[in-house]
Amino acid sequence: MTQAKITVGILALQGAFMEHKLHLQKAIRHASPGSPLDTAKFEIIEVRTPEQLGSADALVIPGGESTAISLIAERTGLLEPLRQFVRVDRKPVWGTCAGLILLSDEASKAKKGGQELIGGLHVRCQRNHFGRQTESFVCNLPLPFVGDDEPPFSGVFIRAPIVEKVLTGADATADVAEGVVRAPNLDIDSYKYAQIEVISSLPPTQGSEAGDIVAVRQGNIFGTSFHPELTPDIRLHGWWLQECVLRRNELRR
């Protein structure tokens, strides 16, 4: 039987989409023999229209400027299709930095006038938690797929957000606090069974920032505060692609 191709889209409206594309392609080329990536067939596409999004089985939302990405998505008719893709169709999606903000149900430290969120990830994300671009930093992160005998994974943080709170249904129905924006039409019932998995937090070496949540997963949604696409390390892209293969296989059972 011919194996179906998995089409992975990268939202290419603004930000570091090309870096993600190159990392995904490299992760596929360098897949270990016999691994899920080695036996799967992929196509990597750039997504700028609802039609292109409709052809994707999974999606990466890159870092950049979250307000700009949401404005362009709204103007190009992509915002509602993105919500359908993430929240209704529940296809695999990975948001990095700005992408994490857009996927969150709520975002604090929002700019005056707010911004549109895609939503689906039951967390409140704090925008620009670490300050200005001059306060960017790199640190080694604990990640589940990095063994003790492997080199550590270095996360690049540039005006990065953090997950400041895992939300409950009560949070999602309370009045929106000043400086917080909320995604529209949240599925409140989904809060009853959603499981938020903390994938990584900042290590003790980061001083007062230690313990800040910088990577989470909820069902089909994966979000990271940092920029793995700005390092030579392709391991996180390879891990996520394997998760896409596993999810595709689960849906076929």
Side-chain angles (χ1 to χ4, degrees):
M1 181 184 295
T2 302
Q3 191 172 37
K5 175 180 62 180
I6 300 174
T7 300
V8 178
I10 305 166
L11 191 63
L13 303 181
Q14 191 265 349
F17 58 87
M18 185 55 68
E19 289 83 352
H20 272 295
K21 184 176 183 179
L22 294 173
H23 270 51
L24 290 169
Q25 291 171 334
K26 188 175 180 181
I28 294 166
R29 289 198 306 271
H30 292 275
S32 301
S35 72
L37 293 193
D38 181 50
T39 55
K41 295 182 179 180
F42 291 94
E43 180 182 8
I44 310 298
I45 66 169
E46 296 175 15
V47 170
R48 296 183 178 87
T49 68
E51 292 74 22
Q52 290 167 335
L53 180 64
S55 69
D57 302 301
L59 182 71
V60 175
I61 303 178
E65 173 49 56
S66 60
T67 305
I69 294 173
S70 68
L71 284 172
I72 298 170
E74 187 173 19
R75 290 170 183 169
T76 56
L78 260 172
L79 200 52
E80 286 305 322
L82 283 167
R83 290 181 178 132
Q84 174 77 25
F85 188 99
V86 176
R87 294 161 52 175
V88 180
D89 299 336
R90 299 183 186 277
K91 294 183 180 181
V93 60
W94 174 15
T96 62
C97 198
L100 169 61
I101 296 170
L102 291 165
L103 290 169
S104 300
D105 283 349
E106 292 186 358
S108 63
K109 288 191 176 180
K111 291 184 177 181
K112 187 176 181 180
Q115 68 177 87
E116 291 284 349
L117 300 176
I118 296 167
L121 182 60
H122 298 343
V123 302
R124 180 182 301 143
C125 186
Q126 186 183 104
R127 301 173 79 257
N128 195 21
H129 174 73
F130 301 101
R132 299 180 179 180
Q133 191 155 340
T134 55
E135 297 169 289
S136 302
F137 64 96
V138 178
C139 77
N140 293 335
L141 295 171
L143 289 170
F145 59 84
V146 177
D148 293 337
D149 57 345
E150 295 183 54
F153 190 94
S154 295
V156 177
F157 293 81
I158 304 173
R159 299 181 65 202
I162 61 163
V163 172
E164 68 175 19
K165 185 176 184 179
V166 174
L167 299 176
T168 66
D171 293 315
T173 55
D175 291 339
V176 180
E178 185 176 356
V180 174
V181 294
R182 179 180 292 162
N185 304 319
L186 297 181
D187 180 4
I188 302 303
D189 287 341
S190 69
Y191 281 77
K192 298 175 184 177
Y193 54 81
Q195 294 184 341
I196 308 291
E197 180 184 359
V198 175
I199 299 295
S200 187
S201 301
L202 288 180
T205 53
Q206 290 307 115
S208 63
E209 308 292 351
D212 283 342
I213 299 172
V214 295
V216 292
R217 178 167 61 175
Q218 175 196 313
N220 61 305
I221 307 172
F222 177 48
T224 57
S225 300
F226 51 94
H227 291 270
E229 78 282 4
L230 298 183
T231 77
D233 200 329
I234 60 171
R235 287 178 292 173
L236 192 52
H237 287 78
W239 174 82
W240 182 72
L241 284 171
Q242 289 192 53
E243 293 296 302
C244 292
V245 174
L246 293 173
R247 185 167 180 83
R248 190 272 308 271
N249 292 342
E250 287 175 1
L251 293 175
R252 285 182 161 188
R253 291 174 187 165

